[in-house]
Amino acid sequence: MIRVLACWLGLAALCLLSACGENPPAPPPGGGPALWRVEGKGIDGWLFGTIHVLPAGVEWQTQRIRDAIGQADRLVLESAEIRDRARTLAQFEKMGRSQGLPLLESRVPEQDRATLETIVKDGGTSTQTLSAYENWAAAMLLSAAAQQSLHVSQDHGVEPVLIAAFEGAGKPISGLETVERQFRAFDTLPADAQQRLLVDTVREAKEMRPLFDRILHAWIMGDVPALAKVDRLSEEADPVVEQAVLVDRNRSWVKSVATLKGCPFIAVGAGHLAGKDNLVDLLQADGYRVTRVQ
């Protein structure tokens, strides 16, 4: 579940409030977040794994990353539409809401309802409000509510920094998929998988701090094996969710990369670059030369 969490933190952050963290981590001397060179089929660019939400003050830009940003001729995100938060939120509301849904508390086991009440109370929302959302969307909003205690924000994440840098340089920004495709990965999950996602989100909320800390430490150190290992330390991953949210999207992204030319700087959630069927391995299998440079 945690590799999926690493990928959807930015989506769940739709309703996060900005706050300042303490003692932000720093890259090790001579290292930092993982960066790859991607060559072949008309491109000579970079692949970078991001964290969508961060505490304030994380200095993740190493000289090698800054050089790659400067040399790249375009930025390629998971979806370029994230620059329009109002549009993203509108898409979420359109896809995530349904009429006639049962009360949220009735959708989780009785033994988990006290935890559910704590999450919504601490997150400044209510089960009544969240009852209007389908299970996948309610899970995202519950994750966002639980993240209040992490003191992280999408504003401090990697993507806003990259967007500002490329916009400032007058370089184009595009996406590997649409926001609608991102949400559809969750919206089209089978009902039982959505139910498990909701219950797992409630149960893992109290462990979110240590889990996020492990993700952040592995990411800033560029320790991809550790990032993959974190996933195995959490509750057993749901293969249906991982297939839809990670693997299927990774495979689709390989096709999107095939349409690129020149020197792109491709930035996707770090969870997509670790573990089985990750984007690095899939690109290599498709004939690209992918070389770790940081």
Side-chain angles (χ1 to χ4, degrees), residues 35 46 62-72 171 265:
L35 178 70
W46 293 265
T62 64
Q63 187 59 51
R64 192 177 295 272
I65 291 173
R66 285 192 288 269
D67 289 345
I69 292 172
Q71 294 167 24
K171 298 177 182 179
F265 188 94

Side-chain angles (χ1 to χ4, degrees), residues 38-112:
V38 181
E39 300 169 281
K41 301 187 178 184
I43 71 170
D44 182 1
W46 293 265
L47 177 63
F48 182 54
T50 74
I51 287 188
H52 301 313
V53 295
L54 285 171
V58 178
E59 297 294 340
W60 53 267
Q61 288 192 75
T62 64
Q63 187 59 51
R64 192 177 295 272
I65 291 173
R66 285 192 288 269
D67 289 345
I69 292 172
Q71 294 167 24
D73 59 15
R74 69 174 54 244
L75 173 63
V76 182
L77 302 170
E78 292 183 22
S79 172
E81 296 171 36
I82 63 169
R83 291 180 291 172
D84 188 341
R85 291 195 182 184
R87 181 178 177 181
T88 301
L89 183 56
Q91 186 69 53
F92 176 79
E93 291 288 308
K94 177 182 178 181
M95 298 179 69
R97 281 181 175 268
S98 288
Q99 294 185 355
L101 294 172
L103 294 175
L104 185 64
E105 53 266 38
S106 70
R107 304 185 223 166
V108 301
E110 186 174 354
Q111 63 267 29
D112 297 312

Side-chain angles (χ1 to χ4, degrees), residues 6-7 18 29 54 61 86 109 150 155 169 173-174 183 185 197 231 236 243 260:
C7 296
S18 178
L54 285 171
Q61 288 192 75
L150 299 183
D155 292 335
I173 299 174
S174 61
F183 290 138
L197 183 63
D231 193 40
E236 185 176 354
Q243 182 70 35
L260 300 175

Side-chain angles (χ1 to χ4, degrees), residues 1-8 181 185-186 231 237-253 269-279 282:
M1 174 68 177
I2 196 62
R3 192 156 63 106
V4 175
L5 174 65
C7 296
W8 77 334
R181 170 65 180 91
F186 294 92
D231 193 40
D238 186 322
V240 176
V241 176
E242 287 218 341
Q243 182 70 35
V245 176
L246 293 168
V247 178
D248 288 349
R249 292 172 67 208
N250 287 348
R251 294 188 184 282
S252 177
W253 291 352
H272 288 279
L273 307 179
K276 184 181 178 181
D277 295 313
N278 66 73
L279 184 58
L282 291 176

Side-chain angles (χ1 to χ4, degrees), residues 174-208:
S174 61
L176 297 173
E177 64 184 7
T178 63
V179 165
E180 187 274 338
R181 170 65 180 91
Q182 289 183 308
F183 290 138
R184 181 156 45 87
F186 294 92
D187 189 40
T188 57
L189 287 170
D192 57 345
Q194 289 196 37
Q195 173 71 18
R196 290 192 298 270
L197 183 63
L198 175 63
V199 174
D200 286 347
T201 299
V202 173
R203 291 177 177 173
E204 291 191 358
K206 56 188 173 184
E207 300 298 327
M208 188 170 287

